[in-house]
Amino acid sequence: MMIPLTIILQSCYGSIVALYTLSGEGLFYLGKLTITTLLCMAYNAAILAQLKVIYIFYLLYASVFLNTIILLTMV
């Protein structure tokens, strides 16, 4: 029941991180943007592929955690 909410949460959070990442210039920021995009796409793809719920939530936790790390390094 919470899957649609987590899709919206994770996609919005990933787009916020991508927005702040785009404020920088250089290959380092492009690498961070790539990681953010891959994490968000991996979570959405896991849901579409109907993987086991535990794998989907591990991807959600990894995505939120790593996007938080990326966002904190931008400040």
Side-chain angles (χ1 to χ4, degrees):
M1 295 295 280
M2 300 298 284
I3 293 293
L5 183 63
T6 61
I7 292 171
I8 294 168
L9 170 81
Q10 191 266 342
S11 296
C12 290
Y13 189 60
S15 65
I16 291 168
V17 174
L19 176 75
Y20 281 111
T21 304
L22 284 173
S23 66
E25 294 180 5
L27 290 176
F28 183 67
Y29 294 103
L30 185 62
K32 285 183 177 183
L33 181 63
T34 302
I35 291 170
T36 299
T37 305
L38 287 175
L39 288 170
C40 294
M41 287 177 58
Y43 177 72
N44 291 336
I47 291 173
L48 288 174
Q50 297 180 354
L51 294 179
K52 291 183 179 180
V53 176
I54 193 73
Y55 297 133
I56 292 173
F57 281 111
Y58 283 156
L59 277 171
L60 175 66
Y61 296 147
S63 175
V64 170
F65 177 72
L66 291 174
N67 280 332
T68 302
I69 298 292
I70 290 171
L71 189 62
L72 289 176
T73 59
M74 296 300 298
V75 178

Short mmCIF file of all heavy atoms in Angstrom, two decimals:
data_model
loop_
_atom_site.label_atom_id
_atom_site.label_comp_id
_atom_site.label_asym_id
_atom_site.label_seq_id
_atom_site.Cartn_x
_atom_site.Cartn_y
_atom_site.Cartn_z
N MET A 1 0.81 -1.20 0.00
CA MET A 1 0.00 0.00 0.00
C MET A 1 0.86 1.27 0.00
O MET A 1 0.41 2.29 -0.46
CB MET A 1 -0.91 0.01 1.22
CG MET A 1 -1.94 -1.10 1.25
SD MET A 1 -3.12 -0.97 -0.06
CE MET A 1 -4.20 0.25 0.60
N MET A 2 2.06 1.20 0.52
CA MET A 2 2.90 2.39 0.62
C MET A 2 3.82 2.58 -0.58
O MET A 2 4.54 3.57 -0.64
CB MET A 2 3.74 2.31 1.89
CG MET A 2 2.92 2.22 3.17
SD MET A 2 1.89 3.66 3.42
CE MET A 2 3.09 4.83 3.94
N ILE A 3 3.79 1.65 -1.53
CA ILE A 3 4.68 1.74 -2.68
C ILE A 3 4.47 3.02 -3.48
O ILE A 3 5.45 3.70 -3.82
CB ILE A 3 4.55 0.48 -3.56
CG1 ILE A 3 5.07 -0.75 -2.82
CG2 ILE A 3 5.27 0.64 -4.88
CD1 ILE A 3 6.55 -0.76 -2.57
N PRO A 4 3.23 3.42 -3.83
CA PRO A 4 3.09 4.69 -4.58
C PRO A 4 3.62 5.89 -3.82
O PRO A 4 4.22 6.79 -4.43
CB PRO A 4 1.57 4.80 -4.79
CG PRO A 4 1.06 3.42 -4.70
CD PRO A 4 1.95 2.74 -3.70
N LEU A 5 3.45 5.91 -2.51
CA LEU A 5 3.97 7.01 -1.71
C LEU A 5 5.50 7.03 -1.73
O LEU A 5 6.11 8.10 -1.82
CB LEU A 5 3.46 6.91 -0.28
CG LEU A 5 3.86 8.04 0.67
CD1 LEU A 5 3.29 9.36 0.18
CD2 LEU A 5 3.38 7.73 2.06
N THR A 6 6.12 5.87 -1.65
CA THR A 6 7.59 5.83 -1.67
C THR A 6 8.13 6.21 -3.05
O THR A 6 9.20 6.81 -3.14
CB THR A 6 8.12 4.45 -1.27
OG1 THR A 6 7.65 3.46 -2.18
CG2 THR A 6 7.72 4.11 0.14
N ILE A 7 7.40 5.88 -4.11
CA ILE A 7 7.84 6.29 -5.45
C ILE A 7 7.84 7.81 -5.54
O ILE A 7 8.80 8.42 -6.03
CB ILE A 7 6.92 5.68 -6.53
CG1 ILE A 7 7.10 4.18 -6.61
CG2 ILE A 7 7.21 6.31 -7.89
CD1 ILE A 7 6.08 3.50 -7.50
N ILE A 8 6.77 8.43 -5.08
CA ILE A 8 6.68 9.89 -5.12
C ILE A 8 7.75 10.51 -4.23
O ILE A 8 8.44 11.46 -4.64
CB ILE A 8 5.28 10.35 -4.70
CG1 ILE A 8 4.25 9.90 -5.74
CG2 ILE A 8 5.21 11.86 -4.52
CD1 ILE A 8 2.82 10.05 -5.30
N LEU A 9 7.91 10.00 -3.02
CA LEU A 9 8.90 10.53 -2.08
C LEU A 9 10.31 10.43 -2.65
O LEU A 9 11.05 11.42 -2.67
CB LEU A 9 8.82 9.78 -0.75
CG LEU A 9 9.94 10.06 0.24
CD1 LEU A 9 9.65 11.35 0.97
CD2 LEU A 9 10.09 8.92 1.21
N GLN A 10 10.66 9.27 -3.14
CA GLN A 10 12.01 9.05 -3.62
C GLN A 10 12.29 9.84 -4.90
O GLN A 10 13.37 10.38 -5.08
CB GLN A 10 12.22 7.55 -3.84
CG GLN A 10 13.63 7.13 -4.07
CD GLN A 10 13.94 7.07 -5.55
OE1 GLN A 10 13.07 7.01 -6.40
NE2 GLN A 10 15.20 7.09 -5.85
N SER A 11 11.31 9.93 -5.78
CA SER A 11 11.50 10.68 -7.02
C SER A 11 11.63 12.18 -6.75
O SER A 11 12.48 12.85 -7.35
CB SER A 11 10.35 10.42 -7.98
OG SER A 11 10.33 9.07 -8.37
N CYS A 12 10.82 12.70 -5.85
CA CYS A 12 10.92 14.13 -5.50
C CYS A 12 12.25 14.44 -4.80
O CYS A 12 12.90 15.44 -5.10
CB CYS A 12 9.76 14.55 -4.63
SG CYS A 12 8.19 14.60 -5.49
N TYR A 13 12.64 13.57 -3.90
CA TYR A 13 13.90 13.78 -3.18
C TYR A 13 15.09 13.68 -4.15
O TYR A 13 16.02 14.49 -4.07
CB TYR A 13 14.03 12.76 -2.05
CG TYR A 13 15.19 13.04 -1.13
CD1 TYR A 13 15.28 14.22 -0.43
CD2 TYR A 13 16.20 12.11 -0.97
CE1 TYR A 13 16.33 14.48 0.41
CE2 TYR A 13 17.27 12.35 -0.12
CZ TYR A 13 17.33 13.55 0.57
OH TYR A 13 18.38 13.80 1.39
N GLY A 14 15.04 12.72 -5.06
CA GLY A 14 16.09 12.59 -6.06
C GLY A 14 16.17 13.80 -6.97
O GLY A 14 17.26 14.24 -7.35
N SER A 15 15.03 14.37 -7.32
CA SER A 15 15.05 15.55 -8.18
C SER A 15 15.58 16.78 -7.44
O SER A 15 16.25 17.63 -8.03
CB SER A 15 13.66 15.83 -8.74
OG SER A 15 12.76 16.17 -7.72
N ILE A 16 15.32 16.87 -6.15
CA ILE A 16 15.87 17.97 -5.35
C ILE A 16 17.39 17.86 -5.29
O ILE A 16 18.11 18.84 -5.46
CB ILE A 16 15.25 17.99 -3.94
CG1 ILE A 16 13.79 18.40 -4.02
CG2 ILE A 16 16.03 18.90 -3.00
CD1 ILE A 16 13.01 18.19 -2.74
N VAL A 17 17.88 16.65 -5.06
CA VAL A 17 19.34 16.44 -5.02
C VAL A 17 19.95 16.73 -6.39
O VAL A 17 21.01 17.36 -6.49
CB VAL A 17 19.66 15.00 -4.56
CG1 VAL A 17 21.15 14.73 -4.66
CG2 VAL A 17 19.19 14.79 -3.14
N ALA A 18 19.28 16.32 -7.46
CA ALA A 18 19.78 16.59 -8.81
C ALA A 18 19.82 18.10 -9.09
O ALA A 18 20.75 18.60 -9.72
CB ALA A 18 18.92 15.88 -9.84
N LEU A 19 18.82 18.83 -8.60
CA LEU A 19 18.79 20.28 -8.79
C LEU A 19 19.98 20.94 -8.12
O LEU A 19 20.64 21.79 -8.72
CB LEU A 19 17.49 20.85 -8.23
CG LEU A 19 17.34 22.36 -8.27
CD1 LEU A 19 17.05 22.82 -9.69
CD2 LEU A 19 16.25 22.81 -7.34
N TYR A 20 20.27 20.54 -6.88
CA TYR A 20 21.41 21.13 -6.19
C TYR A 20 22.73 20.67 -6.82
O TYR A 20 23.71 21.42 -6.81
CB TYR A 20 21.39 20.79 -4.70
CG TYR A 20 20.43 21.64 -3.93
CD1 TYR A 20 19.27 21.11 -3.39
CD2 TYR A 20 20.68 23.00 -3.73
CE1 TYR A 20 18.38 21.90 -2.69
CE2 TYR A 20 19.80 23.79 -3.03
CZ TYR A 20 18.65 23.25 -2.51
OH TYR A 20 17.78 24.03 -1.82
N THR A 21 22.77 19.48 -7.34
CA THR A 21 23.99 18.99 -7.98
C THR A 21 24.27 19.76 -9.27
O THR A 21 25.42 20.00 -9.61
CB THR A 21 23.86 17.48 -8.28
OG1 THR A 21 23.55 16.81 -7.07
CG2 THR A 21 25.16 16.92 -8.82
N LEU A 22 23.23 20.16 -9.97
CA LEU A 22 23.41 20.90 -11.22
C LEU A 22 23.95 22.31 -11.00
O LEU A 22 24.35 22.97 -11.96
CB LEU A 22 22.09 20.97 -11.98
CG LEU A 22 21.68 19.70 -12.69
CD1 LEU A 22 20.28 19.85 -13.26
CD2 LEU A 22 22.66 19.35 -13.79
N SER A 23 23.97 22.78 -9.76
CA SER A 23 24.50 24.12 -9.49
C SER A 23 26.02 24.16 -9.59
O SER A 23 26.60 25.23 -9.72
CB SER A 23 24.05 24.60 -8.11
OG SER A 23 24.64 23.80 -7.10
N GLY A 24 26.67 23.00 -9.54
CA GLY A 24 28.12 22.95 -9.65
C GLY A 24 28.57 22.70 -11.08
O GLY A 24 27.77 22.40 -11.97
N GLU A 25 29.86 22.85 -11.29
CA GLU A 25 30.42 22.63 -12.62
C GLU A 25 31.57 21.64 -12.51
O GLU A 25 32.28 21.59 -11.51
CB GLU A 25 30.94 23.94 -13.22
CG GLU A 25 29.86 24.94 -13.51
CD GLU A 25 30.41 26.23 -14.09
OE1 GLU A 25 31.62 26.30 -14.35
OE2 GLU A 25 29.62 27.16 -14.27
N GLY A 26 31.77 20.86 -13.55
CA GLY A 26 32.89 19.94 -13.60
C GLY A 26 32.45 18.50 -13.61
O GLY A 26 31.28 18.16 -13.45
N LEU A 27 33.43 17.62 -13.80
CA LEU A 27 33.15 16.19 -13.88
C LEU A 27 32.76 15.60 -12.54
O LEU A 27 32.02 14.61 -12.48
CB LEU A 27 34.36 15.45 -14.44
CG LEU A 27 34.66 15.70 -15.92
CD1 LEU A 27 35.93 14.98 -16.33
CD2 LEU A 27 33.49 15.25 -16.77
N PHE A 28 33.24 16.19 -11.46
CA PHE A 28 32.88 15.70 -10.13
C PHE A 28 31.38 15.81 -9.89
O PHE A 28 30.74 14.89 -9.39
CB PHE A 28 33.67 16.48 -9.08
CG PHE A 28 33.44 16.00 -7.67
CD1 PHE A 28 33.87 14.74 -7.28
CD2 PHE A 28 32.80 16.81 -6.76
CE1 PHE A 28 33.67 14.30 -5.98
CE2 PHE A 28 32.60 16.38 -5.46
CZ PHE A 28 33.03 15.13 -5.08
N TYR A 29 30.82 16.95 -10.26
CA TYR A 29 29.37 17.15 -10.10
C TYR A 29 28.58 16.30 -11.08
O TYR A 29 27.48 15.85 -10.77
CB TYR A 29 29.03 18.62 -10.25
CG TYR A 29 29.60 19.46 -9.14
CD1 TYR A 29 30.73 20.25 -9.34
CD2 TYR A 29 29.03 19.45 -7.88
CE1 TYR A 29 31.26 21.01 -8.32
CE2 TYR A 29 29.55 20.20 -6.84
CZ TYR A 29 30.67 20.98 -7.07
OH TYR A 29 31.20 21.71 -6.05
N LEU A 30 29.14 16.09 -12.26
CA LEU A 30 28.48 15.23 -13.23
C LEU A 30 28.44 13.79 -12.72
O LEU A 30 27.45 13.08 -12.92
CB LEU A 30 29.20 15.30 -14.58
CG LEU A 30 28.57 14.54 -15.73
CD1 LEU A 30 27.19 15.10 -16.03
CD2 LEU A 30 29.45 14.61 -16.95
N GLY A 31 29.48 13.35 -12.04
CA GLY A 31 29.49 12.03 -11.42
C GLY A 31 28.45 11.90 -10.33
O GLY A 31 27.76 10.88 -10.22
N LYS A 32 28.31 12.95 -9.51
CA LYS A 32 27.27 12.94 -8.47
C LYS A 32 25.88 12.89 -9.09
O LYS A 32 25.00 12.19 -8.59
CB LYS A 32 27.39 14.18 -7.59
CG LYS A 32 28.54 14.16 -6.63
CD LYS A 32 28.50 15.40 -5.77
CE LYS A 32 29.57 15.39 -4.73
NZ LYS A 32 29.49 16.56 -3.84
N LEU A 33 25.68 13.64 -10.17
CA LEU A 33 24.38 13.63 -10.84
C LEU A 33 24.09 12.26 -11.44
O LEU A 33 22.95 11.77 -11.37
CB LEU A 33 24.35 14.70 -11.94
CG LEU A 33 23.06 14.84 -12.71
CD1 LEU A 33 21.93 15.27 -11.79
CD2 LEU A 33 23.24 15.84 -13.84
N THR A 34 25.10 11.61 -11.96
CA THR A 34 24.94 10.27 -12.52
C THR A 34 24.55 9.27 -11.42
O THR A 34 23.65 8.45 -11.62
CB THR A 34 26.24 9.81 -13.21
OG1 THR A 34 26.57 10.76 -14.23
CG2 THR A 34 26.09 8.45 -13.82
N ILE A 35 25.21 9.35 -10.28
CA ILE A 35 24.89 8.45 -9.17
C ILE A 35 23.46 8.68 -8.69
O ILE A 35 22.71 7.72 -8.47
CB ILE A 35 25.90 8.65 -8.01
CG1 ILE A 35 27.27 8.13 -8.42
CG2 ILE A 35 25.42 7.95 -6.75
CD1 ILE A 35 28.37 8.49 -7.45
N THR A 36 23.06 9.93 -8.56
CA THR A 36 21.69 10.25 -8.14
C THR A 36 20.67 9.69 -9.11
O THR A 36 19.68 9.07 -8.72
CB THR A 36 21.52 11.77 -7.99
OG1 THR A 36 22.43 12.25 -7.01
CG2 THR A 36 20.11 12.13 -7.60
N THR A 37 20.92 9.89 -10.40
CA THR A 37 19.99 9.41 -11.42
C THR A 37 19.92 7.89 -11.43
O THR A 37 18.83 7.32 -11.52
CB THR A 37 20.42 9.93 -12.80
OG1 THR A 37 20.53 11.36 -12.74
CG2 THR A 37 19.42 9.55 -13.86
N LEU A 38 21.06 7.23 -11.32
CA LEU A 38 21.07 5.77 -11.31
C LEU A 38 20.34 5.19 -10.10
O LEU A 38 19.63 4.19 -10.22
CB LEU A 38 22.50 5.25 -11.37
CG LEU A 38 23.21 5.39 -12.71
CD1 LEU A 38 24.66 4.95 -12.58
CD2 LEU A 38 22.50 4.59 -13.77
N LEU A 39 20.50 5.82 -8.96
CA LEU A 39 19.82 5.34 -7.76
C LEU A 39 18.30 5.46 -7.89
O LEU A 39 17.56 4.53 -7.55
CB LEU A 39 20.30 6.11 -6.53
CG LEU A 39 21.69 5.80 -6.04
CD1 LEU A 39 22.11 6.81 -4.98
CD2 LEU A 39 21.75 4.40 -5.48
N CYS A 40 17.86 6.59 -8.39
CA CYS A 40 16.41 6.79 -8.56
C CYS A 40 15.84 5.84 -9.61
O CYS A 40 14.77 5.27 -9.43
CB CYS A 40 16.12 8.24 -8.95
SG CYS A 40 16.52 9.41 -7.65
N MET A 41 16.57 5.67 -10.70
CA MET A 41 16.10 4.77 -11.75
C MET A 41 16.12 3.32 -11.29
O MET A 41 15.23 2.54 -11.66
CB MET A 41 16.96 4.94 -13.00
CG MET A 41 16.70 6.23 -13.74
SD MET A 41 17.76 6.46 -15.16
CE MET A 41 17.40 5.03 -16.12
N ALA A 42 17.10 2.94 -10.49
CA ALA A 42 17.17 1.56 -10.00
C ALA A 42 15.99 1.24 -9.10
O ALA A 42 15.41 0.15 -9.18
CB ALA A 42 18.48 1.34 -9.25
N TYR A 43 15.62 2.19 -8.25
CA TYR A 43 14.47 1.96 -7.37
C TYR A 43 13.18 1.83 -8.18
O TYR A 43 12.39 0.90 -7.96
CB TYR A 43 14.34 3.10 -6.36
CG TYR A 43 13.13 2.94 -5.48
CD1 TYR A 43 13.10 1.96 -4.51
CD2 TYR A 43 12.02 3.75 -5.64
CE1 TYR A 43 11.98 1.79 -3.72
CE2 TYR A 43 10.91 3.60 -4.84
CZ TYR A 43 10.89 2.61 -3.88
OH TYR A 43 9.78 2.43 -3.10
N ASN A 44 12.98 2.74 -9.12
CA ASN A 44 11.77 2.67 -9.94
C ASN A 44 11.75 1.41 -10.81
O ASN A 44 10.69 0.80 -10.99
CB ASN A 44 11.64 3.92 -10.81
CG ASN A 44 11.34 5.15 -9.98
OD1 ASN A 44 10.81 5.05 -8.89
ND2 ASN A 44 11.69 6.29 -10.50
N ALA A 45 12.90 1.00 -11.32
CA ALA A 45 12.96 -0.22 -12.12
C ALA A 45 12.70 -1.46 -11.28
O ALA A 45 12.09 -2.42 -11.75
CB ALA A 45 14.33 -0.32 -12.79
N ALA A 46 13.15 -1.44 -10.03
CA ALA A 46 12.90 -2.59 -9.14
C ALA A 46 11.41 -2.76 -8.88
O ALA A 46 10.91 -3.88 -8.80
CB ALA A 46 13.65 -2.40 -7.83
N ILE A 47 10.71 -1.65 -8.77
CA ILE A 47 9.26 -1.74 -8.57
C ILE A 47 8.58 -2.26 -9.83
O ILE A 47 7.71 -3.13 -9.77
CB ILE A 47 8.69 -0.37 -8.15
CG1 ILE A 47 9.18 -0.04 -6.75
CG2 ILE A 47 7.17 -0.38 -8.21
CD1 ILE A 47 8.82 1.33 -6.29
N LEU A 48 8.99 -1.74 -10.98
CA LEU A 48 8.39 -2.19 -12.23
C LEU A 48 8.71 -3.66 -12.52
O LEU A 48 7.90 -4.37 -13.12
CB LEU A 48 8.86 -1.33 -13.39
CG LEU A 48 8.28 0.08 -13.43
CD1 LEU A 48 8.94 0.88 -14.54
CD2 LEU A 48 6.79 0.03 -13.61
N ALA A 49 9.88 -4.12 -12.10
CA ALA A 49 10.27 -5.52 -12.31
C ALA A 49 9.63 -6.45 -11.29
O ALA A 49 9.78 -7.66 -11.39
CB ALA A 49 11.78 -5.65 -12.24
N GLN A 50 8.94 -5.89 -10.32
CA GLN A 50 8.26 -6.64 -9.27
C GLN A 50 9.21 -7.56 -8.52
O GLN A 50 8.95 -8.75 -8.32
CB GLN A 50 7.09 -7.43 -9.85
CG GLN A 50 6.02 -6.56 -10.44
CD GLN A 50 4.86 -7.33 -11.01
OE1 GLN A 50 4.89 -8.56 -11.09
NE2 GLN A 50 3.83 -6.62 -11.41
N LEU A 51 10.34 -6.98 -8.09
CA LEU A 51 11.27 -7.72 -7.25
C LEU A 51 10.65 -7.96 -5.88
O LEU A 51 9.60 -7.41 -5.55
CB LEU A 51 12.57 -6.94 -7.11
CG LEU A 51 13.40 -6.75 -8.38
CD1 LEU A 51 14.64 -5.94 -8.05
CD2 LEU A 51 13.78 -8.07 -9.01
N LYS A 52 11.32 -8.76 -5.08
CA LYS A 52 10.84 -8.99 -3.72
C LYS A 52 10.82 -7.67 -2.95
O LYS A 52 11.64 -6.79 -3.17
CB LYS A 52 11.73 -9.99 -3.00
CG LYS A 52 11.64 -11.39 -3.55
CD LYS A 52 12.48 -12.33 -2.74
CE LYS A 52 12.36 -13.74 -3.30
NZ LYS A 52 13.18 -14.69 -2.53
N VAL A 53 9.89 -7.57 -2.04
CA VAL A 53 9.69 -6.33 -1.30
C VAL A 53 10.93 -5.94 -0.51
O VAL A 53 11.28 -4.76 -0.42
CB VAL A 53 8.46 -6.46 -0.38
CG1 VAL A 53 8.29 -5.22 0.48
CG2 VAL A 53 7.21 -6.70 -1.19
N ILE A 54 11.62 -6.91 0.03
CA ILE A 54 12.81 -6.59 0.84
C ILE A 54 13.90 -5.94 -0.02
O ILE A 54 14.56 -5.00 0.43
CB ILE A 54 13.32 -7.85 1.58
CG1 ILE A 54 14.34 -7.46 2.65
CG2 ILE A 54 13.90 -8.86 0.63
CD1 ILE A 54 13.73 -6.81 3.83
N TYR A 55 14.06 -6.38 -1.26
CA TYR A 55 15.05 -5.77 -2.16
C TYR A 55 14.64 -4.36 -2.54
O TYR A 55 15.49 -3.47 -2.65
CB TYR A 55 15.24 -6.62 -3.41
CG TYR A 55 15.79 -7.99 -3.14
CD1 TYR A 55 15.23 -9.12 -3.73
CD2 TYR A 55 16.87 -8.19 -2.28
CE1 TYR A 55 15.72 -10.38 -3.49
CE2 TYR A 55 17.38 -9.44 -2.03
CZ TYR A 55 16.80 -10.54 -2.64
OH TYR A 55 17.29 -11.78 -2.38
N ILE A 56 13.35 -4.16 -2.73
CA ILE A 56 12.86 -2.83 -3.08
C ILE A 56 13.12 -1.85 -1.95
O ILE A 56 13.59 -0.73 -2.17
CB ILE A 56 11.36 -2.90 -3.44
CG1 ILE A 56 11.17 -3.67 -4.75
CG2 ILE A 56 10.76 -1.50 -3.55
CD1 ILE A 56 9.72 -3.93 -5.10
N PHE A 57 12.85 -2.26 -0.73
CA PHE A 57 13.08 -1.35 0.39
C PHE A 57 14.56 -1.16 0.69
O PHE A 57 14.97 -0.09 1.13
CB PHE A 57 12.31 -1.79 1.62
CG PHE A 57 10.87 -1.39 1.55
CD1 PHE A 57 9.89 -2.33 1.41
CD2 PHE A 57 10.51 -0.06 1.60
CE1 PHE A 57 8.56 -1.96 1.32
CE2 PHE A 57 9.19 0.33 1.52
CZ PHE A 57 8.20 -0.63 1.37
N TYR A 58 15.40 -2.16 0.42
CA TYR A 58 16.84 -1.95 0.53
C TYR A 58 17.30 -0.90 -0.48
O TYR A 58 18.13 -0.05 -0.17
CB TYR A 58 17.61 -3.24 0.31
CG TYR A 58 17.59 -4.19 1.49
CD1 TYR A 58 17.80 -5.55 1.31
CD2 TYR A 58 17.39 -3.73 2.78
CE1 TYR A 58 17.79 -6.43 2.37
CE2 TYR A 58 17.37 -4.60 3.86
CZ TYR A 58 17.58 -5.95 3.64
OH TYR A 58 17.56 -6.82 4.70
N LEU A 59 16.75 -0.95 -1.70
CA LEU A 59 17.08 0.07 -2.69
C LEU A 59 16.57 1.45 -2.27
O LEU A 59 17.24 2.46 -2.51
CB LEU A 59 16.51 -0.31 -4.05
CG LEU A 59 17.34 -1.27 -4.88
CD1 LEU A 59 16.55 -1.73 -6.11
CD2 LEU A 59 18.63 -0.62 -5.31
N LEU A 60 15.41 1.49 -1.65
CA LEU A 60 14.89 2.77 -1.17
C LEU A 60 15.79 3.34 -0.10
O LEU A 60 16.15 4.52 -0.14
CB LEU A 60 13.47 2.60 -0.63
CG LEU A 60 12.85 3.85 0.01
CD1 LEU A 60 12.62 4.93 -1.03
CD2 LEU A 60 11.56 3.49 0.72
N TYR A 61 16.17 2.52 0.86
CA TYR A 61 17.06 2.99 1.93
C TYR A 61 18.40 3.44 1.37
O TYR A 61 18.93 4.47 1.78
CB TYR A 61 17.26 1.92 2.99
CG TYR A 61 16.02 1.53 3.73
CD1 TYR A 61 15.82 0.23 4.17
CD2 TYR A 61 15.02 2.46 4.00
CE1 TYR A 61 14.68 -0.14 4.86
CE2 TYR A 61 13.87 2.10 4.68
CZ TYR A 61 13.70 0.80 5.10
OH TYR A 61 12.57 0.44 5.77
N ALA A 62 18.96 2.66 0.45
CA ALA A 62 20.25 3.02 -0.15
C ALA A 62 20.14 4.33 -0.92
O ALA A 62 21.02 5.19 -0.84
CB ALA A 62 20.74 1.90 -1.05
N SER A 63 19.06 4.48 -1.65
CA SER A 63 18.86 5.68 -2.45
C SER A 63 18.72 6.92 -1.56
O SER A 63 19.38 7.93 -1.81
CB SER A 63 17.62 5.52 -3.33
OG SER A 63 17.35 6.71 -4.01
N VAL A 64 17.91 6.83 -0.55
CA VAL A 64 17.72 7.98 0.34
C VAL A 64 19.01 8.29 1.10
O VAL A 64 19.40 9.45 1.22
CB VAL A 64 16.55 7.73 1.31
CG1 VAL A 64 16.49 8.78 2.39
CG2 VAL A 64 15.24 7.69 0.55
N PHE A 65 19.69 7.26 1.57
CA PHE A 65 20.94 7.47 2.32
C PHE A 65 22.03 8.10 1.43
O PHE A 65 22.64 9.10 1.81
CB PHE A 65 21.44 6.14 2.90
CG PHE A 65 22.73 6.26 3.63
CD1 PHE A 65 22.79 6.87 4.86
CD2 PHE A 65 23.91 5.76 3.08
CE1 PHE A 65 24.00 6.99 5.55
CE2 PHE A 65 25.11 5.87 3.75
CZ PHE A 65 25.15 6.48 4.98
N LEU A 66 22.25 7.54 0.26
CA LEU A 66 23.30 8.07 -0.61
C LEU A 66 22.94 9.44 -1.17
O LEU A 66 23.82 10.30 -1.33
CB LEU A 66 23.61 7.08 -1.72
CG LEU A 66 24.29 5.80 -1.25
CD1 LEU A 66 24.43 4.81 -2.40
CD2 LEU A 66 25.65 6.10 -0.66
N ASN A 67 21.67 9.67 -1.45
CA ASN A 67 21.27 11.00 -1.90
C ASN A 67 21.43 12.03 -0.79
O ASN A 67 21.77 13.19 -1.05
CB ASN A 67 19.84 10.99 -2.43
CG ASN A 67 19.75 10.47 -3.84
OD1 ASN A 67 20.69 10.58 -4.61
ND2 ASN A 67 18.61 9.90 -4.18
N THR A 68 21.22 11.63 0.45
CA THR A 68 21.45 12.52 1.58
C THR A 68 22.93 12.84 1.72
O THR A 68 23.30 14.00 1.95
CB THR A 68 20.92 11.91 2.89
OG1 THR A 68 19.52 11.62 2.72
CG2 THR A 68 21.13 12.84 4.05
N ILE A 69 23.78 11.85 1.54
CA ILE A 69 25.22 12.09 1.58
C ILE A 69 25.64 13.05 0.48
O ILE A 69 26.41 13.99 0.71
CB ILE A 69 26.00 10.74 1.44
CG1 ILE A 69 25.68 9.82 2.60
CG2 ILE A 69 27.50 10.98 1.30
CD1 ILE A 69 26.21 10.28 3.93
N ILE A 70 25.11 12.85 -0.73
CA ILE A 70 25.44 13.73 -1.84
C ILE A 70 24.95 15.15 -1.55
O ILE A 70 25.64 16.13 -1.82
CB ILE A 70 24.86 13.18 -3.16
CG1 ILE A 70 25.61 11.92 -3.58
CG2 ILE A 70 24.91 14.22 -4.27
CD1 ILE A 70 25.00 11.19 -4.75
N LEU A 71 23.75 15.26 -1.02
CA LEU A 71 23.20 16.59 -0.71
C LEU A 71 24.01 17.28 0.37
O LEU A 71 24.25 18.50 0.29
CB LEU A 71 21.73 16.45 -0.29
CG LEU A 71 20.94 17.74 -0.12
CD1 LEU A 71 20.86 18.49 -1.44
CD2 LEU A 71 19.56 17.44 0.39
N LEU A 72 24.45 16.55 1.37
CA LEU A 72 25.24 17.17 2.45
C LEU A 72 26.62 17.59 1.98
O LEU A 72 27.19 18.53 2.53
CB LEU A 72 25.34 16.21 3.63
CG LEU A 72 24.04 16.00 4.42
CD1 LEU A 72 24.26 14.95 5.51
CD2 LEU A 72 23.54 17.29 5.00
N THR A 73 27.17 16.92 0.99
CA THR A 73 28.48 17.32 0.47
C THR A 73 28.38 18.54 -0.45
O THR A 73 29.40 19.14 -0.76
CB THR A 73 29.16 16.17 -0.29
OG1 THR A 73 28.34 15.77 -1.38
CG2 THR A 73 29.43 15.00 0.62
N MET A 74 27.17 18.90 -0.84
CA MET A 74 26.99 20.07 -1.69
C MET A 74 27.03 21.36 -0.88
O MET A 74 27.27 22.42 -1.42
CB MET A 74 25.66 20.00 -2.45
CG MET A 74 25.56 18.85 -3.42
SD MET A 74 26.82 18.91 -4.70
CE MET A 74 26.41 20.43 -5.50
N VAL A 75 26.76 21.28 0.41
CA VAL A 75 26.67 22.48 1.24
C VAL A 75 28.04 22.95 1.63
O VAL A 75 28.98 22.32 1.77
CB VAL A 75 25.83 22.20 2.51
CG1 VAL A 75 25.77 23.39 3.41
CG2 VAL A 75 24.45 21.77 2.09
#
